[in-house]
Amino acid sequence: MVIVLKPHASAQRIEELIYEIEKKGLTVEKVVGSDYTILGLVGDTSVVDIDTLRVNEIVHRAMRIQEPFKRANRLFHPKSTVVNVGNKHLGGGEIGVIAGPCSVESEEQIIEIAKKVKAAGASFLRGGAFKPRTSPYSFQGLGYEGIELLRIAREETGMPIVSEILSENMVDRFARDVDLIQVGARNMQNFMLLKELGKTDKPILLKRGLSATIEEWLMSAEYIMSEGNSRVILCERGIRTFEKYTRNTLDISAVPSVKRMSHLPVIVDPSHATGMGWMVMPMARAAVAAGADGIMIEVHNDPEHALSDGNQSITPDEFSELMNSLRIISGAIGRRI
Ligand code: PEP
Ligand code: MN
């Protein structure tokens, strides 16, 4: 971080400011010019509140040289992270595939879909038990009964299970029962929840907020990591733009951007990004071609009668067809699926 001081700042005020900054464990390099004095801060500047500095009477400008995220930053961790999830992993040469219904609806439903997506090549089973629906009158999920049904499906198929958590008071139960805890787009900036998840040792799937910038998304990962849990996987799921034809706008460019900025694995959810089943296949292909470490696909045995997100769900047969094409694309870019 660089601080440019106002001309005529008194020597005493400058020394006071340097003292305050050094108290935080940073080193300050002072450069005295003919008009301006510049302070260069060396060390972990994430402890410095730049807005407080900017209102300091003697500060003309304060600028960050590095991004405000540290633990998620590739600069300090050049090697790409691989996160183990149950007996599988996300990140590395292999492309991870998470598939399953938007919501767990019944034992028969989740078992049937689990077996079919596994046969087609999925590694992880998804299923919402607590649904953050836009309307309070829409199906809210089966709650912990849904988690129990996912556990039965894991027992039957051996697939690690992925499910969305909604609040801090669910952390202990999710940490015990779910292999990969999903933080949904609507909770990306629920900082209390992120901190609690940071105290667990469970892998966290952090979806991008509805209108979050990539930096805000990485700062949310930083919240989890700053509490000690570095097992974070990022999920691009489309963002709000002026376009209304699709449910959201899939930001494919987020994949190479995040891979450049961070060492964390990044996956893509083309189902929520597009909101239309017929568009899931081309967008999933694009995600893999762009270098995503995985994809998350909503698959339903009877999309027409799904209790949530039927319109964007694909059938097990369509999923199988998608997997076949992804095998070709993965091979072409030197990866496996
Ligand atoms: C989901 O995965 O079912 C979901 C609700 O996703 P998002 O948080 O991305 O809307
Ligand atoms: Mn859904």
Side-chain angles (χ1 to χ4, degrees), residues 102 126 131-132 164 182 184-186 207 237 269 272 296 298 309:
C102 179
R126 67 151 282 151
K131 299 304 302 175
E164 178 173 353
Q182 177 175 324
R186 288 154 193 83
K207 293 189 117 186
R237 46 78 73 205
D269 168 354
H272 291 89
M296 179 153 87
E298 284 189 342
D309 286 350

Side-chain angles (χ1 to χ4, degrees), residues 9-47:
S10 77
Q12 191 197 334
R13 295 299 302 274
I14 296 175
E15 286 318 308
E16 280 167 11
L17 179 60
I18 293 175
Y19 175 75
E20 287 301 319
I21 296 167
E22 286 185 338
K23 260 201 328 204
K24 295 184 194 295
L26 296 159
T27 310
V28 179
E29 304 285 347
K30 186 165 76 172
V31 181
V32 183
S34 53
D35 293 320
Y36 289 96
T37 297
I38 295 171
L39 306 180
L41 276 50
V42 184
D44 182 1
T45 55
S46 60
V47 296

Side-chain angles (χ1 to χ4, degrees), residues 17 25 61 96-97 100 102-103 133 137 183 186 194 209 239 249 253-254 285 294 305 330:
L17 179 60
R61 287 175 69 192
V97 180
C102 179
S103 300
R133 306 301 298 281
Y137 309 116
V183 175
R186 288 154 193 83
L194 300 179
I239 46 172
T249 297
S253 72
R285 289 171 173 165
H305 296 102
S330 314

Side-chain angles (χ1 to χ4, degrees), residues 105-167:
E105 297 172 10
S106 68
E107 182 168 340
E108 303 72 56
Q109 176 241 22
I110 193 70
I111 302 280
E112 181 185 336
I113 297 173
K115 287 184 173 162
K116 287 187 170 160
V117 296
K118 186 185 178 184
S123 306
F124 307 86
L125 176 66
R126 67 151 282 151
F130 295 89
K131 299 304 302 175
R133 306 301 298 281
T134 302
S135 164
Y137 309 116
S138 303
F139 176 60
Q140 302 284 305
L142 295 181
Y144 286 118
E145 189 196 333
I147 300 290
E148 288 309 308
L149 299 180
L150 280 170
R151 290 177 71 189
I152 296 172
R154 174 174 59 195
E155 204 53 36
E156 291 261 333
T157 61
M159 298 168 95
I161 54 177
V162 185
S163 202
E164 178 173 353
I165 191 167
L166 293 190
S167 75

